[in-house]
Amino acid sequence: MKIALIDDEPEELDHLLHIITKYLPDSDLHARSIDTFLSGTDFFAAWKTGMYDLIFLDIYLKDCLGIDIARQIRESDKDVLLVFCTTSNEFASESYEVGAHNYLQKPFSEEKAARLFKQLRQKIHEPGYAITLPDGQNLILRNIIYTEYYNHVVIFYNKKGGSCQTRISQGELEYLLCQYPFFCCCSKGMIVNFYEVESYHKDFFEMSNQKRVPVSRRKSKDVQDAYARFRFEQIRQEVLE
């Protein structure tokens, strides 16, 4: 995930950064990068639509309100997860308006952070969770069965809506998708969605659309381990439910 933190109190910002860095991996989520901003002005000087997967916003900033930043973000980015950091629920109704995922109440604590990260993980695994590609296309992650790369073009084979494609390098696509634990690059130029695996046969995956996606010998051990972790987590969730 690419994460942004916006808070005009340096100590609060450092504390939030510490908690996220320490406890986010426990939720099976991983931060590719975490950018920090001391004002809304600094944030918008750097921000572009689709730049972040998750943004933490302090409600009360010296130069503006966090809710106003959220409104501006939502004008062009409907998918980014927003979390408000606050000591008060004063803006609860407005948070629904901008589709905020949750609050993280100050003072920050490990317990509150762990609970929030668990909720974020559940959100990302939801069937409707989407990301924005560099060309502006919005893709629902769980709708993807697998991807195939050829000659600078990636084809997305989807459950609904047919296949689609975009010009992007395989490295860039892996950077976007493989941060999520249910995606795995199993062979050169191919990424599978573990949710859509019908069966695993060591050297290939049988997918839900009856297609076989090869597993390279070089990647076999890592792919097997990743799929085993995914299946274990699925079973664990079923037991907890």
Side-chain angles (χ1 to χ4, degrees):
M1 305 182 77
K2 294 189 71 176
I3 301 173
L5 317 178
I6 310 171
D7 196 313
D8 55 11
E9 296 292 339
E11 290 186 3
E12 296 277 6
L13 200 59
D14 288 344
H15 186 41
L16 179 58
L17 178 61
H18 169 74
I19 286 179
I20 291 173
T21 303
K22 185 174 181 179
Y23 293 100
L24 188 66
D26 291 342
S27 308
D28 203 17
L29 300 173
H30 303 278
R32 301 189 321 229
S33 64
I34 304 177
D35 298 330
T36 58
F37 302 94
L38 288 167
S39 70
T41 302
D42 290 345
F43 171 76
F44 283 118
W47 177 73
K48 294 179 181 178
T49 301
M51 187 173 180
Y52 294 108
D53 304 293
L54 172 61
I55 300 174
F56 287 83
L57 289 156
D58 186 25
I59 285 287
Y60 298 103
L61 297 166
K62 293 184 176 69
D63 63 338
C64 60
L65 290 173
I67 196 72
D68 292 329
I69 296 175
R71 288 190 179 110
Q72 190 168 338
I73 290 169
R74 282 290 184 244
E75 288 178 4
S76 59
D77 193 331
K78 308 299 184 185
D79 300 319
V80 63
L81 295 172
L82 301 177
V83 175
F84 287 117
C85 302
T86 179
T87 57
S88 159
N89 291 329
E90 181 180 348
F91 289 90
S93 60
E94 288 88 343
S95 72
Y96 292 117
E97 171 198 331
V98 296
H101 175 68
N102 213 325
Y103 279 95
L104 185 58
Q105 192 172 9
K106 295 183 178 183
F108 304 129
S109 71
E110 297 173 4
E111 181 182 355
K112 293 172 186 175
R115 185 165 56 247
L116 173 66
F117 297 150
K118 180 180 178 181
Q119 293 169 342
L120 288 173
R121 182 190 181 283
Q122 292 171 342
K123 177 68 176 178
I124 288 169
H125 281 252
E126 285 180 359
Y129 184 72
I131 62 168
T132 303
L133 296 176
D135 66 359
Q137 289 188 74
N138 291 315
L139 288 183
I140 297 173
L141 292 181
R142 291 278 297 275
N143 193 42
I144 300 168
I145 301 173
Y146 68 94
T147 71
E148 185 173 17
Y149 174 82
Y150 178 73
N151 196 25
H152 305 293
V153 172
V154 170
I155 301 173
F156 296 85
Y157 296 93
N158 303 314
K159 292 190 293 182
K160 297 179 181 179
S163 62
C164 61
Q165 63 184 45
T166 188
R167 293 188 65 83
I168 188 174
S169 73
Q170 177 67 11
E172 289 176 304
L173 184 65
E174 289 181 29
Y175 188 72
L176 282 174
L177 291 186
C178 294
Q179 61 176 306
Y180 304 105
F182 48 96
F183 282 106
C184 179
C185 180
C186 60
S187 59
K188 187 176 181 180
M190 305 197 81
I191 298 173
V192 296
N193 178 355
F194 284 151
Y195 279 109
E196 297 305 313
V197 170
E198 292 291 334
S199 58
Y200 176 41
H201 299 273
K202 190 175 180 179
D203 57 350
F204 69 89
F205 284 111
E206 183 90 28
M207 306 304 294
S208 61
N209 61 350
Q210 286 74 57
K211 299 295 184 180
R212 290 184 174 183
V213 177
V215 176
S216 72
R217 188 172 300 174
R218 182 177 63 85
K219 290 178 173 284
S220 180
K221 180 63 166 61
D222 290 339
V223 171
Q224 183 178 356
D225 289 347
Y227 186 59
R229 287 194 300 271
F230 171 80
R231 290 295 302 136
F232 175 81
E233 183 60 26
Q234 290 300 104
I235 294 169
R236 190 179 74 85
Q237 290 296 323
E238 290 172 6
V239 170
L240 291 175
E241 291 173 359

